[in-house]
Amino acid sequence: MSDRIGTRITVPPVADALGEVFTRAGHELHLVGGPVRDAILRRGSQDLDFATSAHPDQTLALLEEHGTTTWTTGRAFGTIGAMFRGERVEVTTFRADSYDRVGRNPQVAYGDNLTDDLRRRDFTVNAMAVSLPDHEFSDPFDGIGDLARQVIRTPGTPQDSFADDPLRMLRAARFAAQLGFEVDGPVRTAMADMAADLDRITAERVRDEFVKLMGAADPVRGLRLLVDTGLADRFLPELPALRMAIDEHAQHKDVYEHTLTVVRNAIGLEEDGPDVTLRIAALLHDIGKPDTKGHGPDGRVTFHHHELVGARMARKRLRALRFPKDDITEISELIALHLRFYGYGRGEWTDSAVRRYVTDAGAYLPRLHKLVRSDCTTRNRRKAARLAADYDALEERIARIAADEDLARVRPDIDGNEIMRLLDIPPGRMVGEAWRHLKELRLERGPLTREEAEAELFTWAREHDIAVPDRS
């Protein structure tokens, strides 16, 4: 890490240009927080965050004069946003807030100097600044030293910091996952002692931090910290509960360790950057095991139907965290389907079973492929190779059938409008039942000819006391 640390910071030209605007108006402007940290680490940064001595009205006037678009959604907290020379920037007045330590939001107060503003920030690695446009580096809490030591530490006492804003405890885990840093001992102790304070934070804010952690370079590092400090118990208790359930294959320390391995495996299968949906499905795929733990006649541990129980649990937990409906549906469906594959290698699957697998997965099939492969964590190399070969064979078989049939869009050979015309019935429940019957036949037998489909429809209609029109 030491060769990545330096005080020579490359400042984007747009930042210097903005600094000139504020300096000419008699105000200080500093690049602060994440952009400074990432510049020191020589990492790319998408954000440009600034702190200024100007008050919000003054900031807004300057940005309206020199920018193209402004927004004031953060004005209550001293933040004005703008598009400036094609870049999105956010400028916040120096802050000297106080907290009632009941809610999360501070009682906003503006400060008059940079050092006090940096003191109120979450961690020392985010409490550094570069003045603009003269590039004077400010680091009153030795953030650069903590970058070199690879440690997450708070500018003041962690107890005061977390009492002010308990969300910072989750941010500590997130930054550990993003940067690969260790959390300072006193900070870690405070996280464990104050975990219950996280209950003050809204579900939406907790969700946002959790999603950022899951999208980090090493989410497992952050997840372990959440479990070890008891923070996971406050918003994701299903994860620490996995430590109590021994994996039925007896190849892992427990289901908790198996789960973290599956998350790492899923990351290894990503193709275009972090896939947070896949990672969360991997994290939650076995959460039904503690509630389904039992013993078979031979004394082996069993977890019958844990995938279905886990899917229900995942839906409930993700709803509580205010995840979007589409994400909840996909993650729970992936969990429900992730064990379906484990009969394929015994030669039990017909073409009909393959069609159903593809149809049930629908648009989720690419992620389901990755989740199933990630779930193979056995240390038995021969067994692992066999499972991988079996899934290779299944994917090849899907491709062969898909070449002849549009598996991604399996529909009955006769649509609803045709059903109504052929049977001379109005829209209603019976049309839907007839449609589902024909779809089942399509899945079971593959594509039918028009004559075969009509004959099957008429047979079904007679069995349901629907008069079949005379077509002679």
Side-chain angles (χ1 to χ4, degrees):
M1 172 65 74
S2 59
D3 61 342
R4 296 167 55 196
I5 298 295
T7 55
R8 182 179 178 82
I9 299 173
T10 301
V11 173
V14 67
D16 280 335
L18 189 63
E20 293 282 1
V21 169
F22 276 74
T23 299
R24 284 198 302 269
H27 306 297
E28 294 180 36
L29 187 74
H30 305 266
L31 186 66
V32 295
V36 177
R37 178 200 68 226
D38 290 340
I40 294 171
L41 293 176
R42 300 172 191 168
R43 294 160 46 107
S45 179
Q46 299 295 320
D47 300 321
L48 288 177
D49 294 330
F50 301 90
T52 182
S53 58
H55 278 216
D57 288 345
Q58 298 169 315
T59 297
L60 179 60
L62 287 172
L63 292 177
E64 285 179 336
E65 179 182 357
H66 297 278
T68 54
T69 303
T70 61
W71 53 92
T72 59
T73 51
R75 186 171 185 163
F77 301 101
T79 300
I80 305 296
M83 292 300 297
F84 178 80
R85 298 196 176 185
E87 296 286 344
R88 180 186 175 98
V89 301
E90 289 195 338
V91 182
T92 303
T93 301
F94 291 156
R95 298 268 291 274
D97 302 335
S98 60
Y99 292 79
D100 61 14
R101 299 190 175 182
V102 176
R104 177 180 185 272
N105 292 334
Q107 298 171 351
V108 177
Y110 300 132
D112 57 11
N113 67 87
L114 176 64
T115 297
D116 287 346
D117 180 86
L118 295 177
R119 181 179 289 109
R120 56 168 290 278
R121 293 177 181 269
D122 53 5
F123 305 110
T124 60
V125 297
N126 296 327
M128 297 177 287
V130 176
S131 62
L132 301 168
D134 59 359
H135 296 190
E136 180 181 346
F137 180 60
S138 297
D139 181 20
F141 306 104
D142 194 26
I144 199 166
D146 287 338
L147 286 180
R149 291 184 289 272
Q150 303 182 50
V151 65
I152 303 296
R153 187 171 59 84
T154 54
T157 70
Q159 289 80 8
D160 283 342
S161 181
F162 298 156
D164 284 347
D165 184 357
L167 191 67
R168 290 172 175 172
M169 295 186 285
L170 291 192
R171 287 171 61 83
R174 192 242 295 182
F175 282 119
Q178 285 181 337
L179 302 174
F181 286 10
E182 294 296 328
V183 174
D184 190 43
V187 174
R188 189 185 184 102
T189 298
M191 291 168 68
D193 292 343
M194 302 175 68
D197 284 12
L198 189 64
D199 297 348
R200 289 163 42 194
I201 306 301
T202 64
E204 291 83 358
R205 295 305 302 266
V206 171
R207 175 204 62 209
D208 289 347
E209 280 300 323
F210 174 59
V211 168
K212 290 175 183 177
L213 185 154
M214 291 303 297
D218 184 11
V220 170
R221 178 188 288 267
L223 291 168
R224 286 192 185 280
L225 182 60
L226 294 178
V227 171
D228 292 345
T229 57
L231 282 164
D233 290 303
R234 313 310 303 187
F235 74 97
L236 193 65
E238 295 82 2
L239 179 59
L242 294 177
R243 292 177 297 181
M244 304 301 294
I246 304 302
D247 186 85
E248 71 270 32
H249 302 300
Q251 295 297 311
H252 305 281
K253 181 179 180 180
D254 54 28
V255 180
Y256 172 68
E257 291 297 332
H258 162 75
T259 293
L260 297 182
T261 300
V262 173
V263 172
R264 288 194 187 279
N265 289 348
I267 292 171
L269 295 178
E270 292 172 345
E271 299 167 355
D272 299 310
D275 184 343
V276 174
T277 299
L278 174 64
R279 294 182 183 193
I280 294 177
L283 181 68
L284 303 182
H285 81 285
D286 272 350
I287 60 173
K289 282 188 171 180
D291 284 358
T292 58
K293 184 177 180 181
H295 294 85
D298 59 357
R300 289 174 60 85
V301 174
T302 62
F303 301 100
H304 294 310
H305 305 301
H306 75 268
E307 74 281 12
L308 302 180
V309 173
R312 289 195 297 270
M313 293 172 64
R315 280 193 292 271
K316 182 178 180 181
R317 179 55 54 197
L318 295 175
R319 286 192 194 109
L321 288 171
R322 305 292 192 269
F323 270 77
K325 183 178 179 180
D326 289 347
D327 291 346
I328 295 172
T329 299
E330 179 164 2
I331 291 168
S332 60
E333 284 299 307
L334 289 170
I335 294 169
L337 291 169
H338 84 274
L339 285 187
R340 181 84 66 86
F341 160 71
Y342 287 96
Y344 183 79
R346 297 192 295 268
E348 300 171 357
W349 282 34
T350 62
D351 283 355
S352 172
V354 175
R355 291 188 195 99
R356 291 179 187 277
Y357 187 71
V358 174
T359 301
D360 289 348
Y364 312 147
L365 185 63
R367 283 194 174 111
L368 181 60
H369 287 330
K370 293 176 182 177
L371 179 59
V372 173
R373 290 184 181 277
S374 300
D375 195 29
C376 178
T377 61
T378 177
R379 296 174 185 172
N380 184 319
R381 292 185 179 181
R382 183 175 298 177
K383 181 178 180 181
R386 185 179 71 249
L387 288 170
D390 286 345
Y391 209 85
D392 287 343
L394 174 59
E395 290 202 62
E396 291 170 3
R397 190 170 174 187
I398 290 171
R400 285 199 307 272
I401 297 175
D404 298 324
E405 310 171 25
D406 188 2
L407 287 183
R409 296 164 57 114
V410 171
R411 297 288 186 274
D413 298 279
I414 300 175
D415 66 18
N417 289 328
E418 280 292 283
I419 290 171
M420 289 187 288
R421 185 183 68 80
L422 290 168
L423 298 182
D424 193 22
I425 59 176
R429 178 175 58 85
M430 298 309 293
V431 176
E433 291 187 11
W435 188 93
R436 285 187 288 274
H437 172 71
L438 292 176
K439 180 177 179 180
E440 286 297 312
L441 289 175
R442 173 73 169 74
L443 289 169
E444 186 67 32
R445 292 163 48 182
L448 304 179
T449 66
R450 176 69 181 200
E451 292 75 13
E452 290 172 333
E454 288 188 9
E456 292 290 349
L457 175 63
F458 294 147
T459 298
W460 175 88
R462 294 186 188 98
E463 292 172 351
H464 289 78
D465 296 323
I466 297 175
V468 177
D470 183 2
R471 299 178 59 80
S472 59

